[in-house]
Amino acid sequence: MSSSVMDSEVYRGIFVSERMRKVFSDESLMQKWLDAWVALARAEADLGVIPQEAAEKIADKASFEVFDPTLIREGIVDTTHPLIVQIRQFTEAVGGREGGFIHWGATTQDIMDTAVVLQMKEAQEVLLDQLNKFLKTLLSLSDKYKSTIMPGRTHGQHALPITLGYKIAIWADEIGKHIERLEAGQDRYLVSSFSGAAGTLASISEHGLAIQEKYSEYLGLKQATITWHVQRDGFAEYSSYIAMIAGTIGKIANEIINLQRTEIGEIEEGFKDGQIGSSTMPHKRNPMICEYVVGLTRVVQRNASLSFDAMLQEHERDMTFWTTEWSYIPQINMMTSGGIEQMQGILERFIVHEDKMARNLDQLKGLIVSENLMLTLGAHVGRQVAHDMVYKVSMQAFEEDRHLLEVTLEDAEIMAHLSDVEVKNCLDPKSYVGLCEVFVERVQQKWKQ
Protein backbone atom coordinates (compact mmCIF):
# COMPACT_ATOMS: atom_id res chain seq x y z
CA MET A 1 0.00 0.00 0.00
CA SER A 2 1.43 3.37 -1.06
CA SER A 3 0.70 6.56 0.82
CA SER A 4 2.93 9.22 -0.79
CA VAL A 5 3.53 10.53 -4.28
CA MET A 6 7.03 9.02 -4.14
CA ASP A 7 5.66 5.48 -4.21
CA SER A 8 2.17 6.05 -5.51
CA GLU A 9 1.19 3.82 -8.41
CA VAL A 10 -1.16 6.66 -9.38
CA TYR A 11 0.98 9.81 -9.15
CA ARG A 12 4.65 8.93 -9.07
CA GLY A 13 5.02 9.11 -12.86
CA ILE A 14 4.68 12.90 -12.77
CA PHE A 15 6.80 13.46 -9.65
CA VAL A 16 9.82 11.15 -9.68
CA SER A 17 12.12 9.41 -12.12
CA GLU A 18 12.19 5.65 -11.85
CA ARG A 19 15.96 5.64 -12.18
CA MET A 20 16.37 7.83 -9.10
CA ARG A 21 13.65 5.97 -7.25
CA LYS A 22 15.76 2.82 -7.46
CA VAL A 23 18.71 4.69 -5.92
CA PHE A 24 16.62 5.42 -2.83
CA SER A 25 14.68 2.16 -2.68
CA ASP A 26 14.67 0.03 0.46
CA GLU A 27 16.73 -2.56 -1.40
CA SER A 28 19.35 0.04 -2.26
CA LEU A 29 19.51 1.33 1.30
CA MET A 30 19.83 -2.15 2.78
CA GLN A 31 22.60 -3.02 0.33
CA LYS A 32 24.50 0.13 1.19
CA TRP A 33 24.42 -0.71 4.91
CA LEU A 34 26.00 -4.00 3.93
CA ASP A 35 28.50 -2.31 1.61
CA ALA A 36 29.64 -0.15 4.52
CA TRP A 37 30.05 -3.17 6.82
CA VAL A 38 31.98 -5.06 4.14
CA ALA A 39 34.34 -2.13 3.52
CA LEU A 40 34.92 -1.79 7.25
CA ALA A 41 35.64 -5.50 7.67
CA ARG A 42 38.04 -5.52 4.74
CA ALA A 43 39.87 -2.45 6.03
CA GLU A 44 40.17 -3.95 9.52
CA ALA A 45 41.32 -7.32 8.14
CA ASP A 46 43.98 -5.58 6.01
CA LEU A 47 45.41 -4.11 9.21
CA GLY A 48 45.10 -7.30 11.24
CA VAL A 49 42.38 -5.97 13.54
CA ILE A 50 39.97 -8.78 12.62
CA PRO A 51 40.68 -12.15 10.95
CA GLN A 52 40.87 -12.19 7.17
CA GLU A 53 38.43 -15.11 6.99
CA ALA A 54 35.89 -13.01 8.90
CA ALA A 55 36.10 -10.21 6.31
CA GLU A 56 35.74 -12.75 3.50
CA LYS A 57 32.68 -14.38 5.02
CA ILE A 58 31.11 -11.00 5.79
CA ALA A 59 31.61 -9.99 2.16
CA ASP A 60 30.27 -13.33 0.90
CA LYS A 61 26.98 -12.92 2.76
CA ALA A 62 26.51 -9.20 2.04
CA SER A 63 23.40 -9.21 -0.14
CA PHE A 64 20.26 -7.33 0.84
CA GLU A 65 18.30 -10.59 0.63
CA VAL A 66 19.74 -11.50 4.06
CA PHE A 67 17.39 -8.91 5.54
CA ASP A 68 13.71 -9.31 6.27
CA PRO A 69 12.22 -5.82 5.79
CA THR A 70 9.12 -6.67 7.80
CA LEU A 71 11.18 -7.81 10.76
CA ILE A 72 13.38 -4.73 10.44
CA ARG A 73 10.36 -2.42 10.47
CA GLU A 74 8.80 -4.14 13.45
CA GLY A 75 12.16 -4.40 15.21
CA ILE A 76 12.87 -0.69 14.88
CA VAL A 77 9.53 0.01 16.53
CA ASP A 78 10.17 -2.52 19.30
CA THR A 79 13.78 -1.59 20.03
CA THR A 80 13.49 2.11 19.06
CA HIS A 81 16.91 1.61 17.45
CA PRO A 82 17.37 2.20 13.70
CA LEU A 83 20.12 -0.40 13.08
CA ILE A 84 20.35 -3.04 15.81
CA VAL A 85 17.87 -5.38 14.11
CA GLN A 86 19.89 -5.25 10.89
CA ILE A 87 23.09 -5.99 12.81
CA ARG A 88 21.45 -9.03 14.39
CA GLN A 89 20.08 -10.32 11.09
CA PHE A 90 23.41 -9.89 9.31
CA THR A 91 25.31 -11.47 12.21
CA GLU A 92 23.02 -14.47 12.03
CA ALA A 93 23.44 -14.71 8.25
CA VAL A 94 27.24 -14.68 8.52
CA GLY A 95 27.17 -16.99 11.52
CA GLY A 96 29.91 -18.46 13.67
CA ARG A 97 32.81 -16.55 15.13
CA GLU A 98 33.08 -14.49 11.94
CA GLY A 99 29.66 -12.93 12.48
CA GLY A 100 30.92 -11.43 15.71
CA PHE A 101 33.27 -9.11 13.81
CA ILE A 102 30.49 -7.24 12.02
CA HIS A 103 30.31 -3.52 12.98
CA TRP A 104 33.66 -3.78 14.84
CA GLY A 105 34.58 -0.40 16.31
CA ALA A 106 31.73 1.37 14.53
CA THR A 107 28.71 3.17 15.85
CA THR A 108 25.25 3.17 14.30
CA GLN A 109 25.59 6.64 12.83
CA ASP A 110 28.79 5.63 11.02
CA ILE A 111 27.03 2.96 9.02
CA MET A 112 23.80 4.86 8.46
CA ASP A 113 25.52 8.09 7.43
CA THR A 114 27.85 6.24 5.10
CA ALA A 115 24.89 4.47 3.49
CA VAL A 116 23.18 7.81 2.85
CA VAL A 117 26.38 9.20 1.34
CA LEU A 118 26.64 6.16 -0.93
CA GLN A 119 23.09 6.85 -2.07
CA MET A 120 24.00 10.50 -2.66
CA LYS A 121 27.02 9.42 -4.68
CA GLU A 122 24.84 7.26 -6.91
CA ALA A 123 22.20 9.99 -7.07
CA GLN A 124 24.80 12.55 -8.11
CA GLU A 125 25.87 10.29 -10.98
CA VAL A 126 22.25 10.12 -12.15
CA LEU A 127 21.83 13.89 -11.85
CA LEU A 128 25.07 14.65 -13.70
CA ASP A 129 24.05 12.31 -16.49
CA GLN A 130 20.65 14.01 -16.73
CA LEU A 131 22.06 17.52 -16.48
CA ASN A 132 24.71 16.96 -19.14
CA LYS A 133 22.04 15.68 -21.52
CA PHE A 134 19.81 18.62 -20.59
CA LEU A 135 22.66 21.08 -21.14
CA LYS A 136 23.40 19.59 -24.55
CA THR A 137 19.76 20.03 -25.55
CA LEU A 138 19.70 23.62 -24.33
CA LEU A 139 22.90 24.44 -26.24
CA SER A 140 21.44 22.97 -29.41
CA LEU A 141 18.25 24.98 -29.03
CA SER A 142 20.08 28.21 -28.20
CA ASP A 143 22.10 27.82 -31.39
CA LYS A 144 19.02 26.97 -33.44
CA TYR A 145 17.14 30.06 -32.24
CA LYS A 146 20.03 32.46 -31.74
CA SER A 147 18.63 34.86 -34.38
CA THR A 148 14.92 34.35 -33.65
CA ILE A 149 13.78 37.75 -32.40
CA MET A 150 11.14 38.06 -29.70
CA PRO A 151 10.12 40.65 -27.12
CA GLY A 152 12.24 40.80 -24.02
CA ARG A 153 10.24 41.49 -20.89
CA THR A 154 11.00 43.13 -17.56
CA HIS A 155 8.43 43.56 -14.77
CA GLY A 156 6.01 41.60 -16.96
CA GLN A 157 6.11 44.30 -19.65
CA HIS A 158 7.84 44.57 -23.02
CA ALA A 159 11.35 45.90 -22.54
CA LEU A 160 13.72 45.49 -25.52
CA PRO A 161 13.95 42.92 -28.32
CA ILE A 162 15.98 39.80 -27.56
CA THR A 163 16.40 36.48 -29.31
CA LEU A 164 14.96 33.19 -28.14
CA GLY A 165 18.43 31.68 -28.38
CA TYR A 166 19.70 34.30 -25.93
CA LYS A 167 16.96 33.40 -23.43
CA ILE A 168 17.75 29.68 -23.72
CA ALA A 169 21.50 30.35 -23.44
CA ILE A 170 20.87 31.94 -20.04
CA TRP A 171 19.20 28.70 -18.96
CA ALA A 172 22.08 26.66 -20.38
CA ASP A 173 24.71 28.70 -18.56
CA GLU A 174 22.88 28.19 -15.27
CA ILE A 175 22.68 24.42 -15.80
CA GLY A 176 26.38 24.35 -16.66
CA LYS A 177 27.20 26.04 -13.37
CA HIS A 178 25.11 23.51 -11.47
CA ILE A 179 27.16 20.73 -13.06
CA GLU A 180 30.34 22.50 -11.95
CA ARG A 181 29.00 22.86 -8.42
CA LEU A 182 28.18 19.17 -8.12
CA GLU A 183 31.56 18.13 -9.47
CA ALA A 184 33.47 20.56 -7.24
CA GLY A 185 31.47 19.90 -4.08
CA GLN A 186 31.70 16.12 -4.00
CA ASP A 187 35.04 16.12 -2.18
CA ARG A 188 33.33 17.91 0.70
CA TYR A 189 30.17 15.86 1.03
CA LEU A 190 30.87 12.43 -0.49
CA VAL A 191 32.77 11.53 2.66
CA SER A 192 32.71 8.27 4.59
CA SER A 193 31.81 8.10 8.26
CA PHE A 194 33.75 5.88 10.67
CA SER A 195 34.49 7.51 13.98
CA GLY A 196 33.05 5.35 16.74
CA ALA A 197 30.82 6.18 19.67
CA ALA A 198 31.84 9.78 20.37
CA GLY A 199 33.82 10.33 17.18
CA THR A 200 37.21 9.71 18.81
CA LEU A 201 37.89 6.18 17.45
CA ALA A 202 38.76 5.21 21.03
CA SER A 203 37.87 1.54 20.47
CA ILE A 204 40.53 1.07 17.78
CA SER A 205 42.66 4.16 18.17
CA GLU A 206 45.94 2.39 17.35
CA HIS A 207 44.78 1.66 13.80
CA GLY A 208 41.87 4.10 13.62
CA LEU A 209 43.03 6.50 10.93
CA ALA A 210 44.52 3.75 8.78
CA ILE A 211 41.26 1.79 8.93
CA GLN A 212 39.34 4.94 8.16
CA GLU A 213 41.51 5.57 5.09
CA LYS A 214 41.14 2.04 3.72
CA TYR A 215 37.42 2.00 4.53
CA SER A 216 37.02 5.17 2.45
CA GLU A 217 39.04 3.74 -0.43
CA TYR A 218 36.94 0.58 -0.57
CA LEU A 219 33.78 2.68 -0.73
CA GLY A 220 35.12 5.20 -3.25
CA LEU A 221 34.55 8.04 -0.80
CA LYS A 222 36.75 10.70 0.74
CA GLN A 223 38.22 10.30 4.22
CA ALA A 224 37.02 12.83 6.78
CA THR A 225 39.51 15.10 8.53
CA ILE A 226 37.57 14.72 11.77
CA THR A 227 34.28 13.11 12.71
CA TRP A 228 31.23 14.67 11.07
CA HIS A 229 28.61 13.15 13.35
CA VAL A 230 27.61 16.69 14.33
CA GLN A 231 28.89 18.36 11.18
CA ARG A 232 25.95 18.35 8.79
CA ASP A 233 27.24 21.07 6.49
CA GLY A 234 28.04 18.49 3.80
CA PHE A 235 24.42 17.46 3.52
CA ALA A 236 23.38 21.12 3.63
CA GLU A 237 25.74 21.93 0.75
CA TYR A 238 24.52 19.03 -1.34
CA SER A 239 20.88 19.83 -0.60
CA SER A 240 21.48 23.46 -1.54
CA TYR A 241 22.76 22.39 -4.94
CA ILE A 242 19.74 20.15 -5.44
CA ALA A 243 17.40 23.00 -4.47
CA MET A 244 19.20 25.32 -6.90
CA ILE A 245 18.94 22.78 -9.72
CA ALA A 246 15.24 22.41 -9.00
CA GLY A 247 14.96 26.20 -9.00
CA THR A 248 16.41 26.45 -12.49
CA ILE A 249 14.22 23.65 -13.80
CA GLY A 250 11.20 25.30 -12.21
CA LYS A 251 12.13 28.67 -13.67
CA ILE A 252 12.33 27.24 -17.19
CA ALA A 253 8.98 25.52 -16.71
CA ASN A 254 7.41 28.70 -15.36
CA GLU A 255 8.73 30.74 -18.27
CA ILE A 256 7.17 28.33 -20.75
CA ILE A 257 3.88 28.56 -18.84
CA ASN A 258 3.94 32.33 -19.17
CA LEU A 259 4.97 32.36 -22.82
CA GLN A 260 2.19 29.88 -23.60
CA ARG A 261 -0.48 32.26 -22.29
CA THR A 262 -3.24 32.83 -24.85
CA GLU A 263 -2.37 36.53 -25.03
CA ILE A 264 1.31 35.76 -25.76
CA GLY A 265 1.37 32.36 -27.45
CA GLU A 266 5.05 32.38 -28.36
CA ILE A 267 5.99 28.92 -27.03
CA GLU A 268 4.07 25.74 -26.23
CA GLU A 269 5.36 22.91 -24.09
CA GLY A 270 4.38 20.48 -26.85
CA PHE A 271 1.19 18.60 -27.43
CA LYS A 272 0.41 15.08 -28.54
CA ASP A 273 -2.81 13.52 -29.69
CA GLY A 274 -4.78 12.27 -26.72
CA GLN A 275 -3.32 14.78 -24.27
CA ILE A 276 -6.11 16.45 -22.31
CA GLY A 277 -5.94 20.05 -21.13
CA SER A 278 -9.29 20.21 -19.38
CA SER A 279 -12.00 17.76 -18.37
CA THR A 280 -14.69 20.27 -19.31
CA MET A 281 -13.19 22.59 -21.97
CA PRO A 282 -12.22 20.53 -25.03
CA HIS A 283 -10.22 23.34 -26.61
CA LYS A 284 -7.67 23.70 -23.80
CA ARG A 285 -3.97 22.99 -24.46
CA ASN A 286 -2.68 23.61 -20.97
CA PRO A 287 1.04 23.52 -20.02
CA MET A 288 0.27 20.73 -17.57
CA ILE A 289 3.73 19.16 -17.43
CA CYS A 290 5.39 22.50 -16.75
CA GLU A 291 2.86 23.10 -14.00
CA TYR A 292 3.76 19.75 -12.43
CA VAL A 293 7.43 20.72 -12.53
CA VAL A 294 6.86 24.10 -10.89
CA GLY A 295 4.87 22.36 -8.18
CA LEU A 296 7.50 19.75 -7.39
CA THR A 297 10.18 22.46 -7.39
CA ARG A 298 8.41 24.11 -4.48
CA VAL A 299 8.31 20.83 -2.57
CA VAL A 300 12.04 20.26 -3.20
CA GLN A 301 13.06 23.70 -2.02
CA ARG A 302 10.96 23.54 1.14
CA ASN A 303 12.29 20.08 2.02
CA ALA A 304 15.89 21.06 1.27
CA SER A 305 15.65 23.80 3.88
CA LEU A 306 15.57 21.06 6.54
CA SER A 307 19.28 20.58 5.86
CA PHE A 308 19.98 23.95 7.48
CA ASP A 309 17.92 23.06 10.54
CA ALA A 310 19.91 19.84 10.83
CA MET A 311 23.15 21.81 11.19
CA LEU A 312 22.09 22.84 14.71
CA GLN A 313 23.50 19.80 16.52
CA GLU A 314 24.04 19.29 20.23
CA HIS A 315 27.15 17.87 21.90
CA GLU A 316 28.76 14.88 20.14
CA ARG A 317 25.59 13.22 18.86
CA ASP A 318 22.11 14.52 18.20
CA MET A 319 19.37 12.45 16.61
CA THR A 320 16.64 15.08 16.61
CA PHE A 321 17.45 16.34 13.13
CA TRP A 322 19.59 13.44 11.96
CA THR A 323 16.40 11.48 11.27
CA THR A 324 15.06 14.17 8.91
CA GLU A 325 17.89 13.37 6.49
CA TRP A 326 16.46 9.89 5.89
CA SER A 327 13.32 11.63 4.62
CA TYR A 328 14.27 14.83 2.82
CA ILE A 329 17.41 13.61 0.99
CA PRO A 330 15.57 10.87 -0.94
CA GLN A 331 12.64 13.19 -1.65
CA ILE A 332 14.62 16.10 -3.05
CA ASN A 333 16.70 13.82 -5.24
CA MET A 334 13.77 11.85 -6.62
CA MET A 335 11.69 14.94 -7.32
CA THR A 336 14.51 16.96 -8.86
CA SER A 337 15.44 14.05 -11.08
CA GLY A 338 11.79 13.72 -12.04
CA GLY A 339 11.65 17.42 -12.89
CA ILE A 340 14.72 17.22 -15.11
CA GLU A 341 13.26 14.17 -16.86
CA GLN A 342 9.99 15.98 -17.50
CA MET A 343 11.69 19.13 -18.80
CA GLN A 344 14.00 17.09 -21.03
CA GLY A 345 10.89 15.77 -22.74
CA ILE A 346 9.45 19.28 -23.00
CA LEU A 347 12.56 20.67 -24.69
CA GLU A 348 12.67 17.79 -27.15
CA ARG A 349 9.17 18.57 -28.43
CA PHE A 350 8.30 22.13 -27.49
CA ILE A 351 6.77 24.34 -30.15
CA VAL A 352 8.03 27.81 -31.11
CA HIS A 353 5.59 30.19 -32.79
CA GLU A 354 7.90 32.63 -34.56
CA ASP A 355 4.95 34.33 -36.25
CA LYS A 356 3.48 35.25 -32.89
CA MET A 357 6.85 36.50 -31.69
CA ALA A 358 6.98 38.80 -34.71
CA ARG A 359 3.41 39.92 -34.07
CA ASN A 360 4.13 40.63 -30.41
CA LEU A 361 7.25 42.60 -31.27
CA ASP A 362 5.02 45.18 -32.93
CA GLN A 363 2.33 45.06 -30.25
CA LEU A 364 3.57 48.35 -28.77
CA LYS A 365 3.83 49.86 -32.25
CA GLY A 366 7.52 50.76 -32.10
CA LEU A 367 7.69 51.66 -28.41
CA ILE A 368 9.75 48.54 -27.64
CA VAL A 369 12.76 50.24 -29.26
CA SER A 370 12.21 53.76 -27.96
CA GLU A 371 15.58 53.49 -26.17
CA ASN A 372 17.32 53.16 -29.54
CA LEU A 373 15.64 56.30 -30.79
CA MET A 374 16.53 58.13 -27.57
CA LEU A 375 20.23 57.23 -27.71
CA THR A 376 20.53 58.03 -31.41
CA LEU A 377 18.92 61.42 -30.78
CA GLY A 378 21.03 61.84 -27.64
CA ALA A 379 24.17 61.94 -29.76
CA HIS A 380 22.88 65.30 -31.04
CA VAL A 381 21.14 66.85 -28.03
CA GLY A 382 22.37 64.90 -24.99
CA ARG A 383 20.82 61.90 -23.31
CA GLN A 384 18.46 63.59 -20.85
CA VAL A 385 17.11 66.07 -23.37
CA ALA A 386 16.61 63.22 -25.83
CA HIS A 387 14.83 61.19 -23.14
CA ASP A 388 12.33 64.02 -22.60
CA MET A 389 11.77 64.48 -26.34
CA VAL A 390 11.22 60.74 -26.97
CA TYR A 391 9.09 60.46 -23.84
CA LYS A 392 6.76 63.09 -25.26
CA VAL A 393 6.23 61.30 -28.60
CA SER A 394 6.06 57.89 -26.88
CA MET A 395 3.26 58.98 -24.60
CA GLN A 396 1.49 60.58 -27.57
CA ALA A 397 1.78 57.35 -29.57
CA PHE A 398 0.53 55.34 -26.62
CA GLU A 399 -2.44 57.59 -25.88
CA GLU A 400 -3.46 57.90 -29.55
CA ASP A 401 -2.79 54.20 -30.27
CA ARG A 402 -0.53 55.10 -33.17
CA HIS A 403 2.85 53.78 -34.27
CA LEU A 404 5.82 55.58 -32.75
CA LEU A 405 7.35 55.92 -36.21
CA GLU A 406 4.35 57.87 -37.47
CA VAL A 407 4.26 60.19 -34.48
CA THR A 408 8.04 60.76 -34.53
CA LEU A 409 8.12 61.65 -38.22
CA GLU A 410 5.55 64.36 -37.45
CA ASP A 411 7.63 65.82 -34.61
CA ALA A 412 9.59 68.79 -35.96
CA GLU A 413 11.83 68.99 -32.87
CA ILE A 414 13.17 65.46 -33.32
CA MET A 415 13.23 65.57 -37.12
CA ALA A 416 15.45 68.64 -36.96
CA HIS A 417 18.24 66.27 -35.90
CA LEU A 418 17.42 62.95 -37.58
CA SER A 419 16.52 61.85 -41.10
CA ASP A 420 13.53 59.71 -42.02
CA VAL A 421 15.84 56.75 -42.71
CA GLU A 422 17.56 57.11 -39.34
CA VAL A 423 14.24 57.13 -37.50
CA LYS A 424 12.99 54.10 -39.42
CA ASN A 425 16.19 52.19 -38.66
CA CYS A 426 16.00 53.12 -34.99
CA LEU A 427 12.45 51.81 -34.71
CA ASP A 428 13.13 48.49 -36.43
CA PRO A 429 13.31 45.83 -33.64
CA LYS A 430 15.71 43.76 -35.72
CA SER A 431 18.29 46.53 -35.43
CA TYR A 432 18.36 46.50 -31.64
CA VAL A 433 19.04 43.05 -30.25
CA GLY A 434 22.45 44.05 -28.91
CA LEU A 435 24.91 41.21 -28.34
CA CYS A 436 22.33 38.43 -28.14
CA GLU A 437 24.10 36.29 -30.73
CA VAL A 438 27.51 37.04 -29.22
CA PHE A 439 26.31 35.91 -25.80
CA VAL A 440 24.89 32.73 -27.30
CA GLU A 441 28.29 32.02 -28.85
CA ARG A 442 30.06 32.67 -25.55
CA VAL A 443 27.82 30.17 -23.76
CA GLN A 444 28.33 27.67 -26.58
CA GLN A 445 32.11 28.00 -26.37
CA LYS A 446 32.17 27.59 -22.61
CA TRP A 447 29.87 24.64 -22.13
CA LYS A 448 30.43 22.60 -25.28
CA GLN A 449 33.72 21.64 -23.63
Side-chain angles (χ1 to χ4, degrees):
M1 180 175 66
S2 301
S3 57
S4 77
V5 294
M6 300 295 164
D7 297 309
S8 171
E9 294 297 330
V10 177
Y11 287 123
R12 77 169 188 253
I14 59 174
F15 280 99
V16 303
S17 75
E18 288 301 306
R19 186 178 172 191
M20 190 66 86
R21 187 166 167 265
K22 289 177 182 177
V23 173
F24 290 97
S25 66
D26 285 343
E27 292 80 4
S28 171
L29 179 60
M30 290 188 292
Q31 187 59 54
K32 286 170 174 56
W33 292 330
L34 293 165
D35 293 343
W37 277 319
V38 168
L40 179 58
R42 283 177 170 162
E44 291 174 336
D46 288 348
L47 291 159
V49 175
I50 70 171
Q52 188 66 46
E53 58 268 24
E56 291 172 2
K57 194 170 181 183
I58 288 169
D60 183 60
K61 296 293 183 179
S63 174
F64 69 85
E65 286 92 350
V66 304
F67 291 131
D68 183 330
T70 301
L71 291 180
I72 290 175
R73 185 185 70 245
E74 293 172 351
I76 290 173
V77 173
D78 290 340
T79 65
T80 71
H81 195 281
L83 199 65
I84 194 65
V85 181
Q86 297 90 303
I87 295 172
R88 290 170 179 169
Q89 287 190 17
F90 191 31
T91 299
E92 183 180 346
V94 173
R97 177 172 177 266
E98 291 83 3
F101 290 104
I102 291 169
H103 202 68
W104 195 266
T107 192
T108 293
Q109 190 166 354
D110 288 333
I111 302 304
M112 298 194 76
D113 277 351
T114 297
V116 172
V117 172
L118 288 172
Q119 286 183 307
M120 284 167 45
K121 180 184 179 185
E122 193 175 341
Q124 176 151 314
E125 291 170 359
V126 173
L127 289 171
L128 285 172
D129 184 54
Q130 288 183 296
L131 289 171
N132 276 292
K133 182 180 179 181
F134 195 65
L135 174 59
K136 185 177 180 180
T137 302
L138 289 171
L139 291 173
S140 176
L141 289 171
S142 68
D143 184 60
K144 179 179 180 180
Y145 295 111
K146 67 181 179 182
S147 302
T148 302
I149 302 176
M150 65 182 293
R153 296 172 173 89
T154 59
H155 305 283
Q157 307 292 309
H158 283 201
L160 296 174
I162 62 169
T163 70
L164 176 58
Y166 165 78
K167 180 188 288 287
I168 295 173
I170 292 174
W171 301 343
D173 189 55
E174 201 165 323
I175 292 294
K177 288 185 287 184
H178 292 325
I179 293 171
E180 279 189 337
R181 290 182 181 105
L182 286 174
E183 291 176 339
Q186 59 189 0
D187 286 352
R188 291 186 292 272
Y189 52 73
L190 296 185
V191 178
S192 69
S193 179
F194 175 62
S195 301
T200 63
L201 285 173
S203 61
I204 48 171
S205 55
E206 181 183 355
H207 301 287
L209 290 178
I211 292 171
Q212 200 180 66
E213 182 179 7
K214 283 186 170 291
Y215 172 70
S216 303
E217 289 173 0
Y218 278 125
L219 293 168
L221 301 175
K222 292 291 181 180
Q223 180 183 7
T225 305
I226 192 170
T227 182
W228 55 276
H229 287 164
V230 287
Q231 282 185 355
R232 312 316 278 183
D233 57 297
F235 285 174
E237 180 180 2
Y238 178 75
S239 300
S240 296
Y241 296 158
I242 301 303
M244 290 167 71
I245 293 166
T248 300
I249 298 302
K251 177 181 69 175
I252 295 171
N254 195 61
E255 186 72 1
I256 293 172
I257 291 170
N258 280 302
L259 293 176
Q260 191 170 327
R261 292 178 185 274
T262 304
E263 296 80 6
I264 298 176
E266 294 172 356
I267 289 176
E268 279 189 80
E269 70 169 26
F271 200 83
K272 60 184 178 182
D273 189 38
Q275 186 173 332
I276 303 298
S278 169
S279 63
T280 186
M281 294 172 284
H283 71 281
K284 295 297 291 294
R285 289 165 65 114
N286 296 335
M288 301 284 282
I289 299 173
C290 287
E291 289 176 325
Y292 294 146
V293 172
V294 173
L296 67 83
T297 292
R298 292 181 173 129
V299 177
V300 169
Q301 292 184 331
R302 298 304 179 275
N303 283 343
S305 68
L306 286 168
S307 66
F308 301 109
D309 294 327
M311 290 182 67
L312 276 68
Q313 296 276 314
E314 295 183 359
H315 307 304
E316 281 61 58
R317 186 77 62 80
D318 184 0
M319 200 169 182
T320 54
F321 275 108
W322 178 38
T323 52
T324 67
E325 295 161 353
W326 311 341
S327 174
Y328 78 76
I329 289 177
Q331 288 184 45
I332 65 175
N333 278 281
M334 287 191 283
M335 284 192 153
T336 300
S337 178
I340 298 170
E341 188 175 80
Q342 296 278 22
M343 290 310 299
Q344 180 68 39
I346 292 294
L347 294 182
E348 289 174 357
R349 65 177 182 272
F350 86 141
I351 302 166
V352 176
H353 296 288
E354 296 187 34
D355 57 330
K356 292 181 180 177
M357 289 178 176
R359 178 201 68 193
N360 290 340
L361 272 171
D362 199 43
Q363 192 172 14
L364 292 184
K365 299 183 178 180
L367 292 172
I368 194 169
V369 281
S370 65
E371 181 189 68
N372 194 17
L373 177 63
M374 178 194 73
L375 293 175
T376 302
L377 179 62
H380 299 279
V381 299
R383 185 194 178 284
Q384 191 55 47
V385 172
H387 179 278
D388 294 342
M389 293 168 68
V390 174
Y391 174 83
K392 183 187 73 173
V393 292
S394 294
M395 292 303 102
Q396 182 183 347
F398 185 85
E399 295 295 337
E400 296 176 3
D401 194 24
R402 297 168 63 197
H403 201 285
L404 181 58
L405 173 61
E406 181 184 347
V407 176
T408 302
L409 291 175
E410 294 174 357
D411 189 274
E413 191 176 13
I414 292 176
M415 298 311 297
H417 303 283
L418 301 177
S419 67
D420 290 12
V421 172
E422 286 179 304
V423 173
K424 288 176 182 177
N425 287 338
C426 285
L427 298 181
D428 179 3
K430 296 183 180 65
S431 70
Y432 206 60
V433 293
L435 300 179
C436 282
E437 292 190 17
V438 173
F439 283 124
V440 170
E441 289 300 325
R442 283 169 60 84
V443 171
Q444 295 281 334
Q445 290 170 10
K446 180 174 184 179
W447 297 114
K448 277 191 174 179
Q449 301 298 325

